[in-house]
Amino acid sequence: ASSLAWLVTPLRRLVAAGTVLLGLLWLAVAFTPLTSRLAEGLVRRDPVQDADAVFVFASRIQEDGDPTTDAMSRLLKGIELMAEGRAPLLVVSEVPPPAGSYAPLARAWLATLARRGEVLQLGRIVNTYGEARALARAGRERGIRRVLAVTSPPHTRRAAAALEKQGLVAIA
């Protein structure tokens, strides 16, 4: 009986109940389809079409120049679209320091894997809205109207909406 003495005070009971509820929530998220069902509305999958550019939304590059998992998967998808001849231009933006630069890696992979196209770097930008504005500005200068937007699946709806708000046609 003395081992349960800590449950006596109301605050301790509240903490114990909160811990149990958090544990149950974690179990529901980790071991049920709840998370994937909640994320369904976030993913946008448009049919792939030819475009004026492939835009790879920024993801962190390590300081040594190696990509993180997200950065690598995004950039490889962009390179794949370029290799298929879907667009003549690969556009990348950068995450502010201390992250490394996307552009050198994009140029190297494009030359090695796609063997076609050009890389345009938009510079260091802090958020999706800033990326969309910078791409729209570059688009007016370079005639970019239709964009294949490459990002992580849960970000596709928001990213495409940001581009469309700037007057671009986004294919997520």
Side-chain angles (χ1 to χ4, degrees):
S2 64
S3 65
L4 297 177
W6 68 274
L7 283 173
V8 175
T9 67
L11 179 59
R12 287 182 178 164
R13 274 185 246 149
L14 185 62
V15 169
T19 302
V20 168
L21 286 173
L22 283 174
L24 291 173
L25 178 62
W26 177 80
L27 288 171
V29 168
F31 298 106
T32 70
L34 175 67
T35 304
S36 60
R37 285 203 184 117
L38 290 173
E40 281 174 7
L42 301 175
V43 179
R44 176 173 155 179
R45 288 186 179 92
D46 300 328
V48 177
Q49 304 170 27
D50 290 348
D52 302 316
V54 173
F55 180 51
V56 178
F57 281 85
S59 188
R60 196 174 70 77
I61 300 292
Q62 300 172 132
E63 291 179 54
D64 65 2
D66 286 342
T68 60
T69 304
D70 279 347
M72 183 169 50
S73 66
R74 290 178 187 190
L75 188 53
L76 282 174
K77 183 60 179 180
I79 299 291
E80 176 187 337
L81 293 167
M82 293 292 292
E84 292 173 0
R86 294 296 185 169
L89 184 64
L90 178 69
V91 184
V92 296
S93 64
E94 310 285 344
V95 174
S101 179
Y102 233 140
L105 186 61
R107 284 186 182 97
W109 287 7
L110 191 64
T112 302
L113 301 173
R115 296 193 172 125
R116 66 171 64 189
E118 171 190 357
V119 175
L120 172 65
Q121 179 183 11
L122 295 180
R124 297 195 182 273
I125 303 170
V126 296
N127 59 33
T128 303
Y129 176 70
E131 288 179 297
R133 288 182 56 202
L135 181 59
R137 204 169 28 254
R140 285 189 293 276
E141 296 167 5
R142 297 194 60 152
I144 299 169
R145 174 106 176 92
R146 295 175 57 80
V147 178
L148 287 161
V150 180
T151 188
S152 301
H155 301 286
T156 51
R157 185 165 305 283
R158 178 179 54 86
L163 294 172
E164 290 167 345
K165 187 172 183 177
Q166 296 302 315
L168 296 165
V169 176
I171 304 158

